[in-house]
Amino acid sequence: MDCGTSMVKYILFIFNTIVSIIGILSIVYGVLILKSIGTIEVNGQVGFPPQALMPIILISLGSIVVFISFLGCCGAIRESVCMTMSYAVFLLILLILQLTLVILLFTNKEKFENAMGKVIENAWMADSTHKDGVFDTIQKSLHCCGSSSALDYVAKGELLPSSCCSGSCLNPANYYPGCRGKFIELMTAGSENAKYVGIGLIGVELIGFIFACCLANNVRNYKRRNAY
């Protein structure tokens, strides 16, 4: 094996080791966020609140990155053309998916916000009681009140639950803002971070893809030369 191929091999191994560590840290960070958010219980069923979507995506993405980078490490060390090319293909698929997602987030901000707003609107309409139900749990989790505001309860002729207020609900100054706006704000902030993190990951993955293709090509050529 020539010096250039050996250098690419070890660069790819070190590169994937670093990426694996980043993936593991992403998983740990996502788990810590989920732990801080906590779970909610509605009608005896335990689950995560809507704002848990971002850390769940982070954990899923981190797991995929760890798997792919592990494949890259094994392919580089074993000088396996099959494993290295499989790694390159997986990396290319992930790169394309991330690029598509980033473009969609940049070009469909209004649609994204409307979709997040619909989540809260549907939860409000689906919950007939609002008190001690799904929406009450959302209010406790997000520190918000009603779909648009506390006036949603007034319009229905319902008393404000304690989850709507930071103190006594007799004082309007204690009312939390509407859940729709609060949820959109939370998810938009998360999507803004995701866009720029995604761009950084695309750059890193592109470098890994190039090195993987170079290594696979060099190893294939080396084996062909030795076959004669």
Side-chain angles (χ1 to χ4, degrees):
M1 191 74 66
D2 60 75
C3 182
T5 303
S6 296
M7 185 178 72
V8 171
K9 166 185 168 179
Y10 288 111
I11 287 174
L12 188 62
F13 176 77
I14 294 168
F15 171 83
N16 281 291
T17 302
I18 294 170
V19 171
S20 294
I21 294 170
I22 293 172
I24 292 169
L25 290 175
S26 297
I27 295 170
V28 172
Y29 183 58
V31 169
L32 290 174
I33 294 174
L34 274 183
K35 189 176 179 181
S36 66
I37 292 172
T39 56
I40 59 175
E41 184 175 347
V42 181
N43 298 325
Q45 294 185 340
V46 179
F48 291 108
Q51 66 267 34
L53 177 62
M54 283 298 177
I56 289 173
I57 292 174
L58 185 63
I59 292 169
S60 302
L61 184 60
S63 302
I64 294 169
V65 167
V66 169
F67 168 74
I68 293 175
S69 55
F70 176 75
L71 188 63
C73 284
C74 292
I77 288 299
R78 296 185 63 183
E79 297 175 3
S80 168
V81 175
C82 180
M83 290 184 73
T84 306
M85 286 308 298
S86 296
Y87 161 75
V89 170
F90 280 128
L91 205 58
L92 182 61
I93 293 170
L94 183 62
L95 193 152
I96 292 170
L97 290 174
Q98 286 176 341
L99 183 61
T100 303
L101 180 61
V102 168
I103 291 171
L104 288 174
L105 287 174
F106 269 109
T107 58
N108 295 277
K109 184 178 180 181
E110 188 175 341
K111 288 182 179 179
F112 176 79
E113 291 179 354
N114 289 335
M116 294 301 102
K118 281 289 183 184
V119 171
I120 297 300
E121 289 171 8
N122 292 337
W124 172 262
M125 289 187 291
D127 195 346
S128 56
T129 60
H130 298 133
K131 187 177 181 180
D132 298 325
V134 174
F135 208 83
D136 188 59
T137 307
I138 292 173
Q139 290 178 161
K140 289 175 181 176
S141 179
L142 290 176
H143 299 296
C144 58
C145 183
S147 179
S148 300
S149 68
L151 293 175
D152 292 329
Y153 282 100
V154 177
K156 284 182 169 286
E158 298 179 14
L159 294 174
L160 267 65
S162 59
S163 58
C164 262
C165 317
S166 58
S168 172
C169 287
L170 297 175
N171 185 358
N174 293 334
Y175 296 172
Y176 287 128
C179 292
R180 189 182 187 279
K182 197 77 178 287
F183 187 61
I184 289 174
E185 182 184 343
L186 179 69
M187 297 306 291
T188 300
S191 69
E192 286 295 318
N193 293 333
K195 285 190 289 191
Y196 297 107
V197 170
I199 291 171
L201 285 174
I202 288 168
V204 170
E205 287 160 7
L206 184 59
I207 294 170
F209 174 76
I210 292 169
F211 274 114
C213 290
C214 289
L215 178 62
N217 185 59
N218 288 350
V219 171
R220 186 187 291 114
N221 291 338
Y222 175 78
K223 288 182 177 180
R224 281 176 181 172
R225 286 195 299 269
N226 286 350
Y228 295 107

